[in-house]
Amino acid sequence: MSPSKSPEDRAIEHTDALVVGAGHAGLAVSRFLGGAGIDHLVLERGEVGNSWRRERWDSLRLLTPNWLTRLPDHPYQGPDPDGYLTAREVADFIGGFAAASRAPVRTGTEVTSVRAVADGRGRDGYLVRTDQGEIRARSVVIASGACNVPVVPGFKDALPDSVRQLTPFDYTGPAALPEGGVLVVGGSATGVQLAAELRRSGRPVVLSTGEHVRLPRTYRGRDVLWWMQSSGVWDQRHDEVDDLERARALPSPQLVGTPERSTLDLNALIELGVEPVGRWAAVRDGRALFSGGLRNVCSLADLKMERLLDTFDEWARKYADDDLTDEPQRFAPTRVPASARLQLDLRGGEIQTVVWATGFRPDYRWLDVPVLDAKGRLRHVGGVVSDSPGLYAVGLPVLRRRKSTFIHGAEDDAREVVEHLAGYLAGRH
Amino acid sequence: MTTVTNGVNVQALLDAREVLKGAPEAAQFTWRASSTWRDGVHSTTTVQDFFGLGEERSHKTESVFEADHPEVFAAEDNGITPIEYLLVGLASCLTAGVASVAQNRGIQLRSVQAAVEGRHDIRGILGADSDVRNGFNDIKVTFTIDADASPQEIEALVAQSQKRSAVFDALTNPTDVTVEVA
């Protein structure tokens, strides 16, 4: 032991790369770090695949079909390639990957702080505090997820106390809700899935939606995500996307993974008896006020879907194999009600529960490095946090490609982020 | 290179967008109107000054708007009804949006017409039925557009113009309005 080391330096553990989070993205990074022979550790506050085990509702399945669900050298190998894994199965799939890649995961270890430190000998890095002690890391990869905290509008406080409010983190299934009407807020995959499930439980359901992404579950006989994958739309890179900020803020597509492979767009919900209303804009005197722009957001979604299907068809004309026999199809426009309600009295008893499917954000409270923008988003270019050398991120929307947040999207991103990280450790940049 | 000439300086707008991303305070505008009662339900409103990009500014000339009510309202009809000014605002805002979006997308416009209809149950303002609102029941805008574009592209122009329209937003979403006595 060198006498020049400080007492603090002597006591704590060192690693070259520290990965925060043992979800699919963090473990994919670990796999490539291991492959590159880089000494590293993966810290996990709970268990491997924790959010899939603890922060998802009971009926949730992946949006991606099983044949597409894969991590580096770890494809789905079960009996149902066209099915969709349940949240529990996803957690087990990720657990299997961690075991197969012998990832150096330390579970039950919560990171409480990461800050940049200089050791005065030209070896800068990060001091990582955890509830199990401190670690010095030359580099840190943030893989703690994009959906740590539900985002709920500020006017939630103006709702009458008689209305129960839930986020998807509190929601397990319809049985957990009181009887009576439900107002589901948000037209993302979460919003449409919960609205459908609650409507099927017999409750009256109103769905408030702003801009949303409409997709059919299958197109010309194939899963729509087969098209996203095959046509290359999903591989579109962060530096090729027209409006990256918009792409990163897009709500998840209106999809659900069910054995029937059924479409769950607004038309399907209207068929079930769900009442669509515009974006929830404000609460005034105990009344919810909805935007009168529902027709416009539906027409934007219809047009964007058509444009995407045009892209698929064009690709198919050029490249698709002869197996693709089904002809191009087009879907009926969204059947927007002739007069959607603009307000709803929340004191009248019609609505007993409000479910906020209004999105999620990452939790960076533990990150004591000034790399967040004014809106609290991490400033990065393709996962490289340039303002703080040695700091990286994975698993964020359109991190390096459109597919970044999907399970199979982790591989390419993780490989490239690790390439950069290896270069950094080697002093190349 | 685009050779489209709809007369919108899209580059200036795109440049402004980039600059204002980093300078939100400069993006704060205040629009003003000043109104004087004439007689009966007739008033005259003038508009010239506004605040924006950090300083007081002025239109080149003052605009004057007469507002009154038609004779069926037992008024003198010295100008259009106040609620009709909302239709003026909506039509002109959406039309400006169509032109800007078309320019940005390289679509040459030849003609753009908008017919706007606001359906209004006046029992609300008369206090004849407390269940009827004062404002429009609904508004319908019908665009007739001649342009070098497919019907789908024209639909998309019109949809995008609503998405970025100040007046569309002001009419479709609630706004906090304070009215006080000086």
Side-chain angles (χ1 to χ4, degrees), chain A residues 211 281 284 291-292 296 306 310, chain B residues 152 159 162-163 172-175:
Chain A
E211 274 200 76
R284 193 180 287 164
S291 167
N296 181 233
E306 282 200 14
D310 287 346
Chain B
Q152 197 188 13
Q162 293 164 73
K163 184 177 159 177
T172 54
N173 288 302
T175 304

Side-chain angles (χ1 to χ4, degrees), chain A residues 223-243:
Chain A
D223 194 287
V224 73
L225 301 186
W226 177 87
W227 289 96
M228 294 291 281
Q229 175 79 357
S230 308
S231 67
V233 170
W234 240 347
D235 279 323
Q236 202 182 13
R237 287 171 51 91
H238 65 109
D239 42 13
E240 297 168 347
V241 172
D242 269 349
D243 186 345

Side-chain angles (χ1 to χ4, degrees), chain A residues 13-32:
Chain A
E13 199 177 346
H14 286 71
T15 186
D16 283 338
L18 187 139
V19 181
V20 183
H24 69 280
L27 291 167
V29 165
S30 167
R31 173 77 174 203
F32 288 112

Side-chain angles (χ1 to χ4, degrees), chain B residues 166-179:
Chain B
V167 180
F168 183 86
D169 174 71
L171 282 170
T172 54
N173 288 302
T175 304
D176 187 15
V177 181
T178 306
V179 180

Side-chain angles (χ1 to χ4, degrees), chain A residues 77-94:
Chain A
Q77 286 178 313
D80 184 16
D82 290 326
Y84 308 87
L85 294 184
T86 64
R88 166 57 59 153
E89 290 166 340
V90 176
D92 291 343
F93 179 77
I94 295 171

Side-chain angles (χ1 to χ4, degrees), chain B residues 11-12 21 24 35 54 71 73 79 81 85 93 107 111 122 132 136 157 169 176:
Chain B
Q11 196 51 49
K21 264 185 192 170
S35 170
E71 289 175 354
F73 281 69
T81 309
Y85 277 106
C93 194
I107 295 173
S111 74
I122 66 162
V132 175
F136 289 119
L157 275 186
D169 174 71
D176 187 15

Side-chain angles (χ1 to χ4, degrees), chain A residues 265-309:
Chain A
D265 55 11
L266 289 183
N267 281 349
L269 288 170
I270 291 166
E271 198 72 31
L272 281 172
V274 171
E275 176 190 349
V277 295
R279 194 180 64 88
W280 189 349
V283 177
R284 193 180 287 164
D285 302 329
R287 302 175 83 84
L289 304 185
F290 305 114
S291 167
L294 178 63
R295 193 168 282 104
N296 181 233
V297 294
C298 291
S299 129
L300 284 165
D302 289 351
L303 286 161
K304 283 183 182 134
M305 177 180 70
E306 282 200 14
R307 214 178 299 154
L308 184 67
L309 300 183

Side-chain angles (χ1 to χ4, degrees), chain B:
Chain B
M1 252 344 266
T2 172
T3 51
V4 167
T5 52
N6 295 324
V8 182
N9 187 345
V10 164
Q11 196 51 49
L13 298 177
L14 294 176
D15 292 347
R17 176 164 83 177
E18 280 316 301
V19 169
L20 294 180
K21 264 185 192 170
E25 56 302 330
Q28 306 310 310
F29 274 63
T30 304
W31 304 107
R32 299 194 186 101
S34 168
S35 170
T36 304
W37 173 61
R38 296 295 170 200
D39 185 40
V41 291
H42 174 207
S43 64
T44 304
T45 301
T46 60
V47 175
Q48 182 161 24
D49 301 333
F50 61 95
F51 178 89
L53 302 179
E55 59 185 72
E56 284 298 325
R57 295 170 181 275
S58 265
H59 288 286
K60 274 190 258 178
T61 54
E62 181 185 75
S63 294
V64 181
F65 302 94
E66 302 296 336
D68 202 343
H69 287 73
E71 289 175 354
V72 290
F73 281 69
E76 293 187 356
D77 208 5
N78 289 298
I80 64 170
T81 309
I83 199 166
E84 289 172 298
Y85 277 106
L86 294 181
L87 303 184
V88 175
L90 181 61
S92 49
C93 194
L94 291 176
T95 302
V98 166
S100 308
V101 178
Q103 183 73 40
N104 194 34
R105 295 185 178 177
I107 295 173
Q108 179 64 55
L109 298 172
R110 281 184 293 271
S111 74
V112 181
Q113 304 282 333
V116 192
E117 275 186 0
R119 293 197 306 148
H120 191 199
D121 184 341
I122 66 162
R123 287 177 300 170
I125 53 173
L126 292 173
D129 186 336
S130 59
D131 291 333
V132 175
R133 69 181 288 186
N134 297 332
F136 289 119
N137 299 341
D138 52 47
I139 299 174
K140 187 170 185 197
V141 184
T142 308
F143 270 103
T144 308
I145 296 176
D146 181 15
D148 291 330
S150 69
Q152 197 188 13
E153 286 169 326
I154 290 175
E155 288 281 342
L157 275 186
V158 172
Q160 186 68 16
S161 78
Q162 293 164 73
K163 184 177 159 177
R164 286 276 168 264
S165 165
V167 180
F168 183 86
D169 174 71
L171 282 170
T172 54
N173 288 302
T175 304
D176 187 15
V177 181
T178 306
V179 180
E180 58 187 15
V181 177

